[in-house]
Amino acid sequence: MIEVRSLVKKIGAQEILRGVDLEVARGETLAIIGRSGGGKSVLLKHLIGLMKPDTGQIWVEGQNIIGMKERSLASIRQKVGILFQGSALFDSMTVAENIAFPLREAGERDPKLLRRRVTEILEVMELQGEEEKMPVNLSGGMKKRVGLARSIIRQPSCILYDEPTSGLDPIVSDSINRLIRRLQQRFGVTSIVVTHDMKNAFHVADRVAYLHEGRIYFHGTPDELRTSTDKLIQDFLLGRSEEQLTPKAFGVES
Ligand SMILES: Nc1ncnc2c1ncn2[C@@H]1O[C@H](COP(=O)(O)OP(=O)(O)OP(=O)(O)O)[C@@H](O)[C@H]1O
Ligand SMILES: [Mg+2]
């Protein structure tokens, strides 16, 4: 479904991606984990053509999207939905308008149909009765669910989730994880889930890729990751840092 080859991206002097290789099979869920600032969000943005690499290739359903015209990219974005980190809702639109946006963009104008589709998806997201609210008046978890509703309303065959559960309480996180699984099982949706949350990664993923210093450092099943004896992986899983922030660094004697 998605194939990434030797993807390189520099931003300014910073080498963010240094040759990323990645494959995601149809119907599979891949979790991408890695340190904060490591380039996970940058990688996802490349997959729908929102960022252009310096070199490398990205194939989506057999089409190379590098150098694609905006019109062809639009058809890729119909197949591949994205939930942005922080949800990226339009502040000046209501919940219902935000969710209907991708359908309008695709040329759908029938108000009845739009309303029906929005109502259906609000139910799935347990957001009934919230359609007229503005994003500023939503809780973090609600924003995330609205963003998710918007990213799946066009029934994409592949969904990219950027931190779908960060900042949410365990119950809402669990319901989002179940939804990700359900979309995979019921509709065969291919998914990439970027997450900090290892429990989340183990729960939803068929395979896990660890992005480290601009490359995929590890790639395997959740079990292989868990039982890996690699020190870098172990440190990441256990949340161990190398540099110690001593009280001295804050001008305080320990
Ligand atoms: N548009 C941009 N302009 C300049 N620098 C950018 C831009 N987008 C990302 N970066 C830089 O690229 C690096 C990787 O950022 P990215 O957001 O992909 O990290 P991440 O792995 O998603 O981190 P987190 O887990 O905290 O979300 C960071 O140093 C960031 O500052
Ligand atoms: Mg990110």
Side-chain angles (χ1 to χ4, degrees), residues 11 14 16 34-42 51 85 163 196:
I11 302 182
Q14 213 182 344
I16 316 282
R35 300 281 307 273
S36 187
K40 301 180 298 296
S41 296
V42 164
M51 282 181 118
Q85 194 170 8
E163 300 285 0
H196 274 114

Side-chain angles (χ1 to χ4, degrees), residues 98-129:
N98 263 286
I99 295 175
F101 183 82
L103 293 175
R104 284 185 176 281
E105 207 186 25
E108 185 54 64
R109 288 287 179 274
D110 179 0
K112 255 199 194 141
L113 184 139
L114 288 171
R115 208 170 318 127
R116 184 167 57 77
R117 293 290 302 279
V118 168
T119 308
E120 276 169 10
I121 207 146
L122 283 170
E123 238 169 77
V124 174
M125 296 295 163
E126 294 175 22
L127 286 167
Q128 300 100 314

Side-chain angles (χ1 to χ4, degrees), residues 8-17 42 51-52 54:
V8 173
K9 177 69 173 179
K10 268 195 199 168
I11 302 182
Q14 213 182 344
E15 279 189 296
I16 316 282
L17 306 177
V42 164
M51 282 181 118
K52 314 258 183 257
D54 299 325

Side-chain angles (χ1 to χ4, degrees), residues 197-209:
D197 177 352
M198 295 315 301
K199 198 170 145 246
N200 183 12
F202 289 139
H203 186 70
V204 300
D206 301 308
R207 286 187 307 132
V208 185

